Structures are given as structure tokens and as C-alpha cells.
Amino acid sequence: MNSKERFLAVINGAAVDKTPVFPLLMGFSAQRLGASYRQFASNGHVLAEAQLKTREVFKVDAITACSDAFRISADLGGEIVFPEDKPPFLANPLVESEADFKNLRKPDVTNSKGRMADRVAATREMVQAAGNECMVLGWVDMPFAEACSICGVTQFLMLLYDDPEFAHKILLFLTEIVIEFAIAQITAGAPMVGAGDAAASLISPQLFREFALPYEQKVCEEVHKAGGLVKLHICGNTTHLIKDMILSGADLFNIDHLVDLSFAIENYSQVKKAYKGNLNPVADLLQSTPEESLEKALKCLDMAKGTNYMLSPGCEVPAEVSDDVFLAFCKSVDHV
Amino acid sequence: MTELEQISEFLQQGRAKNVQELVSKALEEGISPSNILSEGLMAGMAIIGAKFKANEVYVPEVLIAARAMNAGMDILKPRLIGSDVKPLGKAVLGTVEGDLHDIGKNLVKIMFQGAGLEVIDMGVNVSAEKFVEKVKEEKPQIVALSALLTTTMVNMEKVIKALEREGVRNQVIIMVGGAPVSERFALSIGADCYSPDAASAAEVARQRLVS
């Protein structure tokens, strides 16, 4: 089986030759290419090259066109700051009032000068170079995460109580853009988009069901209609949201290290959904020896035996993780 | 329900205007500012802190409760000046250099204030030098450092070393926290305490200050 076949087999619940290895690599891949984070985030060609190099050296089964959460913010007119060695960020919130919101205009995802188009180009390049053997994912951030980006996390979380109607207006507006962005990457050849919704782990199940889930469902529905798949990635402790996350309709679920893996396995295997996780990127990779990292990976593989599982750390692999440790982690699947 | 219990209740519900009205009424009725603070406002925040730790409430509920507390404090503060009410201690708090994440830091600030600490919030992307400057100026008992990235958590050690160089390290309790941070990491850089979450951080700070 090649990587793509292996990956899709897990999604479909079919037999595999070995567990796919699917870490989220951003700064790690930039560093291995010798690129700064600024280059990685601002130039889709550099992003693609970095992901392809990581694939070549470490033989991971999937690569993702993800660098940061501010592509839509940029194309909405936000000022994005690009530090040399850290992810870019939005200098000032785009929406602090209804008046600010009324001034927003839906951006054109095909505008070649835009950051969304840059990611689409990166996706296309990755697909053209390796899409036959390797699983290539595009990336979007779900509407709730996008709303937190353009309003500020604290401000949007309070808006859920202060003015829920306005919060929904913002979410509806962003959902259209997220869908177009996702479909553009599917059209560029990516069979799947990763979809981050990090801030959703900060809210209760009740608020999740009202403000995050319906919009996740809409995005998944439209991506499916376009022939694509969705990986839902919510960083942090999502123990209280796991059952609701399944209702999003996503095809693959990321589990961060704070979630009990056996609890996640129980929930995902009940509904025969694919999931990945959940080594601690710091404790089990950055601060571990190759032997310790291997042992932890083998433990996860053993626990997940017989389910639709992919090996992964719970979130992004830090750039400072040594090659030795990362290789030990990646090769763990060959021991089983 | 007593008036002070009602203040606590409104605070927990994030009803800032109601908290302000009741605090004003309680003052008019002669209830002491220190009682309003401890049995109304701080009692309410303590309940929210415990519920947050137990995953009964989440970040939005803590934020609106904190806003309600601050609204009550706006009324109460002038009446506390010159009174016997003293903060439990003083903490300087910030996200370390290179890191712009503030939600964790803000939650710690809320919990610290709820526990009766005076908090000097230095914001985000704070250099080691600025922390040292602030320690010399404010003479806090606690310096609390936050980081959300593996690339920035290393700057926590820079702060500790800078405090050592300036001869003020032993004057403060250094607390660290944030998603990539662990007990093991905290010990390795010479921090005094690590807390996995904002509510625990407030408990640890209180314990350290009263012991």
C-alpha cells in the first residue's frame, strides 16, 4: 500500500498494512528546509517544498498546507504581522462593533495576491508533486475559530453572551468564506482539508452546540458535496466535546494529549470513525529520548489496535524536536 | 438569600449591572466594604473558580463573571482606600517575549484577583528586562509567566536568569504555566511552581503567600 491508500483505508475502515503516521508539521518542516517561518507562511511554494521535504526524509503518510490561522483575516483586509521565526498574527481585531462588521466584504478566494490563493497554490503544488502516493490536505479554520481570530478570542467569547444574534451574523458570514476556501483546495486536488477550531475547546458543550457545531456541520456538508473529506482538529482538552464533535460530520478527528486516549477510542470506535493522536508534543517528543518516544508511540498503537487509527502527536510537532526522536516516533509503526 | 449572597449570585451569572446596583445598595445600608468584597465579590469568584476547575463552567462564563467583579470593584474601590482591607499579595504577570497569546494569562489574572491578589498585568510579548524592571519597581511577591508556544517557553528561563543577575530572584516566587509547560519543565528552569490551569494557579499563589 502507498501512503495515500493506507490513509484512505483507515478513513473507510478497511484493512491496512500498517498504521498511517500523520503528524501536524509546520515550523518543524520549515526548519528542515532551512526556511524562516516568515518565508514558510508568506510563500506557498516554500510551504509546499517544506512539506514535501518532510515527506521525503521522514516518510510521513500525509502532509498539510497549514501555516497559520490568518489567511481569511488577511484577505478581509486585516494587517498581518510576519515575525521572522514565529507564526504570523493579526495586528488588530477586524471587528469590534456592528459598524466594523458591516464594512467587511467577502474576499475573492481566487485573487492571486491574496493569502487564501497562496495556500491553494501550495496545495496544488503538493498534489502535483506527491498526490499519487501521499495524502495531501488543504487547511481551513472553522467559522468559530475564524470569528475568534477577527474579533479577538476574549471579545468573541463574551459576545456569545452579550449579543448572540450578532455572534451568529459573524459566524454565518465567515462560513461562506470558509466553504469557498475549502472547496478551492479540494478543486486544487487535495482529497481532504484539515479544519482547525482551536478556541472551541474553551467553551461548554451547550455553547459548542449553538455556536460552533452548526457551522462545522455546514462546512463538512459542502466539502462532502464537492467530493472532499474533512479532518477536524480542535486543540486542547476536548473530552467534554467528543460526542458533539462526531456530529460535525468530519471524517477524521484529531485528539490532543489532554484527552484520555481510551475514552477517545471508546467514542470513535463505537461510530467507526477515524481518529488520530495523541502523544504529548512536548513531553513525548521534545523532552524525550528516541527510546521514550518509541515506547509512548507503541503504547498508543497497542491501545488503538483494531480501530480506525492514525499515529500522531496531539498537536503540532515543535520545530526543536530532534530528528532522532521524530524518526523513532515515525518508525514505531514498523514494530507492530 | 442575603444581599451579599445575591451579589455573589449575580457575579456568577455575569450580571455586571446588577452587581453594581447591589454593591451600591449594600454600601448605602452600611455593610462594610471589606464584607462586600470578601462575602460578595470574592465569594462569587471563588465559586466560579471551583466550577471552572471542575469543568462545570468554561472560559466565557469566567470572563463575564470577572467583568461583573470588576464592575462591582469600580464602585467598591474608592471605599476600600484607607480601609483595613489589604491585598493578599502582589503579582506581576505576563506572557513571555515572542508570545502573543493572552487568554491563559487573562484567566490567571482573573483568578488571582478573585483570590485577593493585586495583579500588575504586563501584557504579552514581555522581555526579561521588562520583567526585571517591574519587579524592582513594584516589589511583588509573585512573578507569573505564561507561554503557549514551545519556541517561547524557553524565554521563561531567560526571565529567571535575568532576575538572578539583578539580585532579585530570591525576592519572588516564580510561577509558570501554559499549554506546553509542565512540572518537569518548570523544575528544569528553576521556577518555584507550575500550575496546569488558572484556578490551580490562584490556589498555589494563595498557599504560598499565607505560608
Side-chain angles (χ1 to χ4, degrees), chain B residues 72-136:
Chain B
M73 284 302 293
D74 283 345
I75 307 290
L76 207 54
K77 225 180 248 170
R79 300 288 290 268
L80 289 169
I81 293 167
S83 74
D84 289 335
V85 176
K86 296 275 178 282
L88 185 64
K90 189 189 285 192
V92 161
L93 166 71
T95 303
V96 294
E97 188 165 16
D99 203 319
L100 299 162
H101 294 94
D102 67 350
I103 190 84
K105 169 192 73 67
N106 291 348
L107 290 171
V108 171
K109 176 180 174 180
I110 289 167
M111 291 294 143
F112 272 12
Q113 287 174 329
L117 273 84
E118 181 189 346
V119 180
I120 316 289
D121 181 357
M122 298 189 67
V124 298
N125 189 20
V126 183
S127 68
E129 292 70 34
K130 289 219 162 77
F131 274 113
V132 170
E133 212 175 285
K134 197 53 79 172
V135 164
K136 287 180 175 176

Side-chain angles (χ1 to χ4, degrees), chain B residues 6 9 13 15 26 37 102 109 120 132 146 160 173 190 203:
Chain B
Q6 188 64 69
E9 208 37 59
Q13 293 167 23
R15 291 163 68 170
L37 176 64
D102 67 350
K109 176 180 174 180
I120 316 289
V132 170
S146 171
I160 295 172
I173 299 162
E203 272 170 36

